[in-house]
Amino acid sequence: MRLHVGCAMWTHTPWQGRFLPHPLAPGERLRAYATWCNAVEGNTTFYATPTRDTVESWARQTGPEFRFVVKLPKTITHERRLKNAEEELRSFLDVMEPLGPRIHAVWVQLPGSFTPNDLGALAGFLRHVPRSLRCAVEVRHRGFFEDARSEGFLERVLGAVGAEWVPFDTTAFFQTPPTTDAERDAWVKKPRVPLRSAALTDRPIIRYLGRDDSALTVEGWRRWIDTVAEWLREGRSPTVFIHTPDNGDALPLARRFHDEVRARLPQVEPLPEPMPTEPPTLF
């Protein structure tokens, strides 16, 4: 049994010297993160496609068991809205190729303006993704969650190519008013959609947003501990990404989530030991 957990990034200033060694060369930061978590969201690729040399560096810093969920560039999902984007898709996948089996899924995050009426574009786009790669689709229009017919159509589009529906669970975050600057910023930016916890494939992916108060974050993920443990018993291989508004404690929280699942299922493969923040001494 393997449960993958991770964060929205592998380098974050508040982690330096606290959880990860500091300073670290750019070519060592992902390696250090990978001693804490065994997966990461590839958010940076949404804004710009990296060079192939950069992606080769990512591969060198991680073992073959590490997993990336790489987000498609916004030119494909938000500007072209999945139409006439075959050339951009091929270029992106060519750059990502050095990651090999580390690519857990190609993440298609769609804007809130992408409605059930746009499903034809999604169906056509997904047929151009090589079947050797898994796709994971995140939708934010409430129609997909509140209209059973639209939900069913989306599930059929995804099922036709073995793609997963990625929920972004913000329900715990929006339960009580914000109390920090980061929470107030997230309050107006993060999507408010109903909770979804059904898996379509053997590789479900969860994105969970907690609070800057770690106790509230842990309390809010209780339902996911139950769900993930059940998925593992069913033979699925879930991936869970832990977010908080400031992400200051997201790294240890991701490990805590893994620990809580493993407390129920000791046969889940353990995470590696984190890299020390200080070099070893002679005494």
Side-chain angles (χ1 to χ4, degrees), residues 107-111 136-140 164-168 191 207:
W107 177 13
V108 186
Q109 185 185 78
L110 297 170
V137 177
E138 181 183 339
V139 292
R140 295 188 169 187
E164 187 56 84
W165 182 338
V166 181
F168 188 16
R207 305 181 68 229

Side-chain angles (χ1 to χ4, degrees), residues 185-198:
D185 183 59
W187 194 263
V188 297
K189 292 181 178 178
K190 300 302 182 182
R192 301 192 188 204
V193 293
L195 178 67
R196 176 184 168 83
S197 58

Side-chain angles (χ1 to χ4, degrees), residues 70-273:
V70 292
K71 189 188 291 190
L72 285 177
K74 63 181 179 180
T75 53
I76 295 175
T77 55
H78 288 54
E79 296 173 14
R80 292 188 177 270
R81 297 174 66 86
L82 306 182
K83 296 179 180 178
N84 302 314
E86 293 82 7
E87 184 176 343
E88 288 87 350
L89 174 64
R90 283 194 299 270
S91 297
F92 177 75
L93 295 180
D94 180 66
V95 170
M96 293 296 116
E97 188 272 335
L99 294 179
R102 297 170 184 81
I103 298 179
H104 189 68
V106 176
W107 177 13
V108 186
Q109 185 185 78
L110 297 170
S113 59
F114 194 94
T115 76
N117 292 330
D118 297 311
L119 278 177
L122 177 61
F125 176 82
L126 291 177
R127 287 195 291 269
H128 287 95
V129 180
R131 294 305 292 268
S132 58
L133 294 172
R134 299 283 192 109
C135 281
V137 177
E138 181 183 339
V139 292
R140 295 188 169 187
H141 191 276
R142 294 185 71 90
F144 291 111
F145 301 86
E146 297 175 341
D147 178 68
R149 189 165 177 265
S150 297
E151 179 185 18
F153 281 161
L154 176 55
E155 288 185 350
R156 285 194 287 277
V157 167
L158 299 177
V161 293
E164 187 56 84
W165 182 338
V166 181
F168 188 16
D169 179 12
T170 61
T171 55
F173 173 73
F174 285 115
Q175 278 184 349
T176 56
T179 59
T180 68
D181 288 343
E183 289 185 350
R184 282 184 280 274
D185 183 59
W187 194 263
V188 297
K189 292 181 178 178
K190 300 302 182 182
R192 301 192 188 204
V193 293
L195 178 67
R196 176 184 168 83
S197 58
L200 300 182
T201 72
D202 62 346
R203 296 185 188 179
I205 299 172
I206 302 301
R207 305 181 68 229
Y208 167 76
L209 175 65
R211 301 294 295 256
D212 286 335
D213 182 333
S214 293
L216 294 177
T217 298
V218 171
E219 181 61 30
W221 75 33
R222 294 301 178 196
R223 62 166 67 95
W224 288 116
I225 299 293
D226 296 335
T227 299
V228 168
E230 185 58 30
W231 283 341
L232 287 162
R233 293 187 188 101
E234 293 170 353
R236 303 179 196 262
S237 298
T239 301
V240 179
F241 294 112
I242 303 299
H243 298 236
T244 67
D246 67 8
N247 283 310
D249 289 320
L251 200 56
L253 282 168
R255 285 186 71 93
R256 178 168 175 176
F257 186 95
H258 191 281
D259 289 344
E260 290 195 11
V261 174
R262 195 161 178 260
R264 297 197 186 182
L265 298 171
Q267 60 268 49
V268 170
E269 187 170 330
L271 293 171
E273 285 298 314

